[in-house]
Amino acid sequence: MAFFRAENISISFGGLKALNGVSFDVRKGEIFSVIGPNGAGKTTIFNCINRFYDLDEGAFVLEDHVISKIKPHEVAEMGIARTFQNIELFKNTTVLDNLILGRHRRRRSNVFTEILFSRSVQKQELESREKAEEIIDFLDLEAYREQRVINLPYGVQKTVELGRALAMDPKLLLLDEPSSGLNVEETEDLSFWMSDIKEELGITILLVEHNMRFVQQASDRILALDFGEIITQGNPKDVLNHPEVMKAYLGEEDVFTQS
Amino acid sequence: MELVNEILQTVLSGISIGCVYGLVALGFVLIFKATEVINFAQGELLMLGAFISYSLITMLNFPYWTALLVTVIFMGFFGTLLERTVLRSLVGEPVYAIVIVTIGISFFLRSVVSMVPGWGTDTYGFQTPFTEKFVRTGELVVSWEYLAIVLITTALILVLFAFFRFTRVGTAMRATSQNQLAAVYMGISVTRVFSLTWTIAAALGGIGGILLSPITFVHMNMGFIGLKAFPAAVLGGFGSLPGAIVGGLIIGITESLAGFYLPEGWKDIAAWIILIGVLVIRPQGLFGIQEKKKV
Amino acid sequence: MKTDYNEDIRLFKYRSTFFWYLALVIGCLILPLLLDEYLISQLTFICMYAVAAVGLMLLTGYTGQISIGHAAFFAIGSYTSAILTAKGVPFILALPAAGILAGFVGVIIGRPILHLTGLYLAIATMGFAFIVDEILVRWESLTQGNMGFYVDPPSIGPFIIDTELRYYYLTLVVLILTLFAARNILRSPTGRAMIAIRDSEVAAEAMGINLAKFKTIAFAVSAFFAGVAGSLYAHKLFFINPESYTILLSIELLAMIIIGGLGSLHGAVFGAVFFIFLPQVIIMTKDYMPVYIQNQTGLEPALFGLLIVLVMLFEPMGIYGRWLKTKFYFEMFPLYKKDSFKREKKYQKAERH
């Protein structure tokens, strides 16, 4: 049984079909990648899952719950976390606060108990911090704990964003081009973490990526998109050697040099 | 028939006051588009223009049209000066800091005007070529003062339109307002564009002042008209020049009709009720474009 | 790895910070004993405006939602408290009631307008303030319109607060409670959600933060404090009428928090101090000016406007920004480098139409 399913999803912007009848299944515990040239509709899938856009047709199903009609903030409550292509951190606060914000969906307090900072709020704060410290430890962010995000180098910011998503204790993690802008070392760290996330934390990952070498290494299965339609899907080797995929990428010159 | 006339009269006076709102709103929008700053001193620029034209006409006996020209030139110069001395050093600083600076400027201008000998806190009026002249068509009587506002505003809008559409500088200004970074890469001097924007906005304020004077008279608080031009600019979408004028007209007409047909008190808030109503339905104003952040 | 987090969630992270604040509070308690009645009443105004400024800071400085309509909540607080106490309700109940009603109105009007962004929200709140002001003028049976409303000095039980000194202590206590409440909110999930909304709405939503809900909470809490400040204001002046709550008050409150320094509670208090004390300083310097200028009524606002411009030119990040730099300078002395806080000036990259 599929863990997460896209059923025949379509969306268009001003007459342009960004996604056209796309269906795929993500199995529990796997890393499933979506590839395709710029403008193929990869990030649009994420934005639709997060309900920033309304689907014209089709549905997303997570463990038998249809999640394409709920409110945007409820998506997180269903256990879906994500990162963003161009980093959307809360940049005027510290790394620690960003991570604790990931715990927001566990909030049990209300504004009245918070004004008094009651025992239960204190307990909740301690729990959030414990979780955040685990992540700081896991992602090696110790040195940056109290620093404001805006002052951090790009690569570290990307890591913080991954950490913030992990702090949510998600079932499904959506990563939007996690390796873009990273240097070789940082990319290696990333694939190391990703396999840990998969193996140790048991989190299913849906990945959108541009860096082919990285995708090939990391993914269990791949879906290739172009112009909002599926070219092919299956195991990494087959998909990457598929003639249509090669053609879609050759049309765009800088793809293999970009990493 | 009498009712129709009455309504027409009211609407016409609404249109003319709406034109002044529109002019002030145009000043807001110009500066906002170029710098993302809301200029809280726009109304005070109008007041300053009104006082200057008053002095030129009554103290120095300038003819009306000469006074208008001199005021516009002076105000344009004043806008440039303001930009050079105060605002230029703030380019790149947080927008809200600059907004507060314009609030400070508005306090300052209003108070300084009250301290100038011969101006002070009194209310003044002056003669214009349109004073006490009327156009009659059938039963309808229209004051030239009102008509002049509409005509001069229309002419001004045409000039501005031509400027932005057909001149190099105008095109550069439009480009800068859309994407500053790209404009810089294209070799446009953003500083000069900012400076010019303040010049034009101040000059527009000056014209607004002269036009408004015969209707509300000249006094230190006439700058509060800026508070009416705000909803006008927002109604239009705060980024659209024609929107500012249309917004001004809507506010002017509403106010005029509400003042005539509704109980006392409605005149001042009718415009705001309409504005909030529009925003609840169309959060980006009538002519604005909804922008969604790309992620 | 860190294992004890209790110290992280304490109100004062370091013992020394606690002592500094304690010293400050003691200073605030002793200070009025050295001042005359007039200056004590100025201190009272500082506390009062600081309460409202803290409220607006939560909304504008922390949640990023600009309001140019807080005079309305201030007014609602004033009138609620005035009317309730006139009907015999004790002040100790009227004060929170003023805040609660203001907060409630905040929820009602916040819901439909809080999806507006930036400028549009600012203008909508400004319109709301105009409408409230007009209602106060017209609803004569309740507010006595432009005639104004007389308010009694407050009493708590048998204790009547009728001297400047007593009233100062009352407002000081309210201010301290306000700061406590604000601080607690800020170190709880609600406060973090507010900051998240300010920094990135999309990411906040993806974290599961209900934007409408938390914006409304911020609006309500902010209105609550403005209402409480309004109540204090009414009982201080003994007489209120709609003219005290114009757009200028809203703009002043906004200017206060920006000059104080957005995004810090210190800034709200600094801003209130700046706005109350500066006019006093200007009055004091008046004697040294030429007679013609001295006698001008426009002198104070002119200088005030000029000083606002100068302060922002000198320190666009507000007084709190300067405070941080000064502190940093002494901590780092003599290693302080002039460029430590230099920021890159940026061109606005945003695409606009």
Side-chain angles (χ1 to χ4, degrees), chain B residues 147-164:
Chain B
L147 217 52
I149 293 181
V150 180
L151 292 177
I152 296 177
T153 310
T154 315
L156 208 59
I157 291 167
L158 291 177
V159 170
L160 273 180
F161 175 80
F163 171 75
F164 282 116

Side-chain angles (χ1 to χ4, degrees), chain B residues 227-251:
Chain B
L227 297 177
K228 289 281 172 52
F230 249 159
V234 171
L235 199 59
F238 226 113
S240 146
L241 297 181
I245 299 290
V246 175
L249 291 177
I250 293 176
I251 301 270

